Structure formats: structure tokens, C-alpha cells
Amino acid sequence: QLQPVESGGGLVQAGGSLRLSCTVSGSTSRPWTMGWFRQAPGKERETVALISWDGRFTHYPDSVKGRFTISRDNAENTSYLQMSSLKPEDTAVYYCSASIRRGLTLESMTYKDFGSWGQGTQVTVSS
């Protein structure tokens, strides 16, 4: 089973940048998609960024497209989320996860297709 651990959150002013990291422990014989998600109080968890096993394909919702960049280093079992031009509405707990599901396009995947979750890391953007 894959277990992710997130780090790198914090408090930043609007317009600023943060870089989140996620290291996945455990093992599986199947390649896994990695994803970043966020959840604000009273709201459903939503996708922030997804990246395929080989890093060739990524997916972002319109709300973060052009501001966030996901990457991964398979040698280190680590994924990164570079966030720039942050807005107060980006404030949430950010989670990463891994999915070994096959046959799905990144665009069709939601947080329900992902397995183990870490504790998350708080990102707060002040106006």
C-alpha cells in the first residue's frame, strides 16, 4: 500500500508562491498516477493537479491552470506542486495521493479514484 506524506504548506500573501512536496512510501508493482487535492472548510475535496506515471501528461482544473505546476521524481517517489500567483481562495488543506487505477484519463479522475491519504498540509493565503 502506498502512503503519502505532504509538506511545505504555510502562510503566504496573495500573489506569493509556495512549493509543496509529497513523498510516497510503500511499494506496488503497478505504476501510479499522482495527484494533489485540496479541501476548504465546508467544501468537498477537489482536484488541483494530476500527473501520469511517466510525467508526460498533466491535468489542471481551470481554477489553477497557469498558476500551479505539478512534477514528480520517481527515483525519489516524490511529487511537487509549485504554486504561484496565489489567491485567498486557494486557502485549504492540500493533500496528495496516488492511484494505481488503469483505464482512466487524467481528466476523468477525481479524488474518489485515489487511495491512501496523508494528513495534508495547510496553505493559507492572506489578502
Side-chain angles (χ1 to χ4, degrees):
Q1 184 161 343
L2 303 173
Q3 184 60 49
V5 177
E6 305 93 344
S7 63
L11 173 65
V12 64
Q13 288 188 332
S17 300
L18 277 176
R19 189 192 196 206
L20 306 183
S21 299
C22 171
T23 299
V24 178
S25 62
S27 63
T28 174
S29 60
R30 302 171 67 175
W32 62 85
T33 300
M34 291 198 74
W36 284 92
F37 306 83
R38 66 187 180 189
Q39 188 166 19
K43 294 188 177 181
E44 188 176 16
R45 190 165 297 187
E46 62 176 353
T47 301
V48 174
L50 304 177
I51 187 167
S52 61
W53 164 251
D54 57 7
R56 293 177 59 197
F57 302 103
T58 58
H59 169 69
Y60 306 92
D62 289 343
S63 58
V64 307
K65 194 174 293 182
R67 300 189 297 122
F68 291 11
T69 302
I70 188 173
S71 60
R72 66 188 296 168
D73 180 347
N74 287 344
E76 299 293 333
N77 284 354
T78 299
S79 173
Y80 303 96
L81 184 67
Q82 179 66 47
M83 306 184 294
S84 60
S85 301
L86 283 162
K87 306 175 181 179
E89 50 263 45
D90 294 319
T91 296
V93 178
Y94 282 69
Y95 302 88
C96 77
S97 186
S99 174
I100 59 173
R101 290 199 62 181
R102 294 181 174 179
L104 298 175
T105 63
L106 295 181
E107 291 77 9
S108 69
M109 298 182 80
T110 72
Y111 72 90
K112 297 178 181 179
D113 297 308
F114 286 75
S116 298
W117 297 91
Q119 292 187 332
T121 184
Q122 177 71 45
V123 172
T124 303
V125 184
S126 63
S127 57

